[in-house]
Amino acid sequence: MMKFVKNFRNDEDGAVTVDWVVLTAAVVGLAIAAYGSIQTGAVSMTDATGVFLGTQEANIGGTLSSE
């Protein structure tokens, strides 16, 4: 039994797995944070573009007005 406990304490295979899980969780967390930031900016830009395009007039005849 004592030999089993010593081997279990010295075994580091599980520690590597824990490191990978922590690193993967950190990467996923950063990706979610970046997505939230990008989404907010993209929605704002899309709204501004929609407002700009909504104020434009179509030039159907191919001539420019001299107003």
Side-chain angles (χ1 to χ4, degrees):
M1 181 68 173
M2 199 62 158
K3 183 178 177 182
F4 173 75
V5 171
K6 285 182 183 179
N7 285 338
F8 182 77
R9 185 179 60 180
N10 292 330
D11 190 13
E12 295 184 8
D13 290 339
V16 174
T17 303
V18 171
D19 288 345
W20 276 106
V21 168
V22 171
L23 286 172
T24 304
V27 169
V28 169
L30 288 173
I32 290 171
Y35 174 76
S37 176
I38 291 169
Q39 180 188 21
T40 302
V43 168
S44 175
M45 183 181 290
T46 302
D47 291 343
T49 303
V51 168
F52 173 77
L53 291 176
T55 62
Q56 302 303 306
E57 292 184 22
N59 185 6
I60 297 178
T63 60
L64 296 174
S65 64
S66 60
E67 296 179 347

